[in-house]
Amino acid sequence: MQYLRSQRVQSLVQEELGKLLLREVEVANALLTITSVEVSKKLDRALVRVSVLPSEKADEALALLEKKAGYLQHLLLKTINIKPMPYLIFSLDHGPERAANIEKILLDEDNEEVPAN
């Protein structure tokens, strides 16, 4: 039963935190996306993986998220009202960035193979 609760908490945190990021966190010319949330077994910590595009803004975005973590946790507690509210830990997810780079390489290779008329 504990496993099901942690899954529900993960889902709720990801959904509601995503809404809060849209309203409360602004990084100029960057797109922040929550890619996953992993809640510990005791439900006391939540590792929030965030993708930032363009990647040049990633360090700035992560610093801002870490600075606002307590405030976001407070707003999250008011929204979903679970006890204990997991402590938010933010981490960068480079997966989408790597996927975009691989796709770009593959597209470049396809363009090179097309004979010129």
Side-chain angles (χ1 to χ4, degrees):
M1 200 63 161
Q2 183 72 16
Y3 180 70
L4 295 175
R5 182 160 190 245
S6 67
Q7 282 183 324
R8 285 195 320 254
V9 169
Q10 286 175 177
S11 177
L12 278 171
V13 168
Q14 184 168 355
E15 182 179 336
E16 294 301 324
L17 189 57
K19 293 175 187 176
L20 287 173
L21 289 183
L22 286 174
R23 291 192 313 258
E24 302 294 333
V25 178
E26 186 174 333
V27 179
N29 301 320
L31 173 67
L32 278 79
T33 306
I34 298 175
T35 56
S36 68
V37 174
E38 297 172 22
V39 177
S40 66
K41 290 181 182 180
K42 294 182 181 180
L43 303 177
D44 59 344
R45 289 181 314 231
L47 177 62
V48 181
R49 296 193 190 279
V50 180
S51 170
V52 181
L53 294 173
S55 60
E56 294 82 29
K57 298 281 187 170
D59 292 333
E60 176 185 343
L62 186 61
L64 184 60
L65 288 171
E66 288 173 347
K67 181 179 176 183
K68 289 191 167 203
Y71 177 65
L72 292 170
Q73 185 175 344
H74 171 73
L75 292 177
L76 203 55
L77 178 63
K78 289 171 64 175
T79 305
I80 57 179
N81 195 21
I82 57 172
K83 305 278 192 227
M85 172 54 70
Y87 176 75
L88 300 177
I89 302 167
F90 291 97
S91 172
L92 290 176
D93 183 359
H94 297 286
E97 176 187 347
R98 289 184 184 132
N101 286 338
I102 291 171
E103 184 176 355
K104 183 178 183 283
I105 290 169
L106 291 173
L107 288 173
D108 289 345
E109 286 178 3
D110 285 345
N111 290 337
E112 289 174 7
E113 291 177 9
V114 175
N117 289 336

